[in-house]
């Protein structure tokens, strides 16, 4: 995925403490959607990595990033005695990706609901202030959004006949606090930008802060018996991936 082989910069990637447009942007919505489908199928997760910043299209702690140069990948195992089939498709009009897993159903008619509960939040330090001569006095803009840190616990709810029959805690994730960088107007509004003086966009990537861009994952996947005729919903990841 390089610009040399016609891959365009798209969507956003998490680059350290900020968002950026880059080649391969949106790939993590695919891996996150697959990850959630696999968890709901109760298959074994061999390897998964979270983002450094919570994703805004899935509950905190349920994201799965991939970054092949660094070796970060999503790896899972079919630990059942039956084959599984993976089906996915994209609804371009709604910009949604669907992933469905087919295989042996869970015992006793159970289904799995994924949950994330917040355990702790941490306040960030005071933001870094950069005086920007290109901005009028009194004007401010966030170059890197200030955000609280958060620790969450992720668990599964097993349901049968509409009732929760048991819970299983899977892991805890911690996303660090970010102090943020704020540009403050100190000039006439013309001249070189503070971003350029502070190092620009690091490697030529366009740095974008999307703030409260709202996306969601709202359709749960289930495993259905092969050929059983059950209605199999896919996990829909909605956004601009």
């Amino acid at each position: 995925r390089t610009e040399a082989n016609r891959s365009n910069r798209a969507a956003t990637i998490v680059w350290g403490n900020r968002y950026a447009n880059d080649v391969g942007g949106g790939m993590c919505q695919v891996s996150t959607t697959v990850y959630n489908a696999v968890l709901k199928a109760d298959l074994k997760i061999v390897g998964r990595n979270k983002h450094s910043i919570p994703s805004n299209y899935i509950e905190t702690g349920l994201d799965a990033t991939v970054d092949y140069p660094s070796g970060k990948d999503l790896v899972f195992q079919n630990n059942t005695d039956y084959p599984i089939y993976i089906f996915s498709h994209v609804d371009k009009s709604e910009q949604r990706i669907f992933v469905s897993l087919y295989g042996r159903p869970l015992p006793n008619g159970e289904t799995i609901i994924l949950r994330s509960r917040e355990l702790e939040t941490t306040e960030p330090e005071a933001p870094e202030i950069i005086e920007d001569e290109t901005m009028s006095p009194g004007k401010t803009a966030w170059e890197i959004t200030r955000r609280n840190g958060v620790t969450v616990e992720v668990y599964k709810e097993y349901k049968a006949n509409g009732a929760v029959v048991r819970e299983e805690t899977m892991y805890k994730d911690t996303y660090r606090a970010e102090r943020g960088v704020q540009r403050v107007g100190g000039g006439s509004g013309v001249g070189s930008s503070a971003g350029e003086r502070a190092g620009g966009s690091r490697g030529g990537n366009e740095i974008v802060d999307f703030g409260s861009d709202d996306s969601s994952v709202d359709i749960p996947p289930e495993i259905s018996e092969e050929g059983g005729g059950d209605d199999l919903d896919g996990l829909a990841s909605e956004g601009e991936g």
Side-chain angles (χ1 to χ4, degrees), residues 167-217:
E167 292 184 358
E168 177 187 312
T169 299
M170 293 188 288
Y171 54 84
K172 295 178 182 179
D173 271 346
T174 297
Y175 300 81
R176 67 180 182 272
E178 170 55 50
R179 64 182 296 196
V181 177
Q182 187 178 42
R183 293 186 291 122
V184 177
S188 61
V190 296
S192 62
S193 71
E196 291 171 344
R197 289 186 283 110
S201 57
R202 297 178 60 189
N205 289 289
E206 178 188 358
I207 301 303
V208 181
D209 186 353
F210 286 91
S212 59
D213 180 42
D214 188 19
S215 303
S216 65
V217 172

Side-chain angles (χ1 to χ4, degrees), residues 16 47 59 64 67 70 76 93 96-97 124 135 139 142 167 188 208 226 231 241:
E59 284 189 77
D67 180 46
S70 69
F76 64 92
S93 63
R96 294 161 69 92
I97 179 171
M135 297 172 60
K139 297 290 185 180
W142 287 99
E167 292 184 358
S188 61
V208 181
E226 181 186 352
D231 181 23

Side-chain angles (χ1 to χ4, degrees), residues 152-172:
V152 296
E153 181 179 70
V154 178
Y155 63 100
K156 295 178 180 178
E157 281 185 354
Y158 291 81
K159 300 185 72 173
N161 300 317
V164 177
V165 294
R166 59 191 173 98
E167 292 184 358
E168 177 187 312
T169 299
M170 293 188 288
Y171 54 84
K172 295 178 182 179

Side-chain angles (χ1 to χ4, degrees), residues 54 66 100 210:
V66 290
S100 303
F210 286 91

Side-chain angles (χ1 to χ4, degrees), residues 217-235:
V217 172
D218 54 8
I219 304 180
E222 301 171 357
I223 258 197
S224 76
E225 187 174 0
E226 181 186 352
D230 294 336
D231 181 23
L232 180 65
D233 290 329
L235 181 69

Side-chain angles (χ1 to χ4, degrees), residues 9 16 19 33 36 52 76 79 83 97 99 107 116 136 138 159 191 234:
R9 294 183 183 181
Y19 295 106
T33 305
N36 280 253
S52 56
F76 64 92
N79 55 337
I97 179 171
V99 173
S116 170
S136 301
K159 300 185 72 173

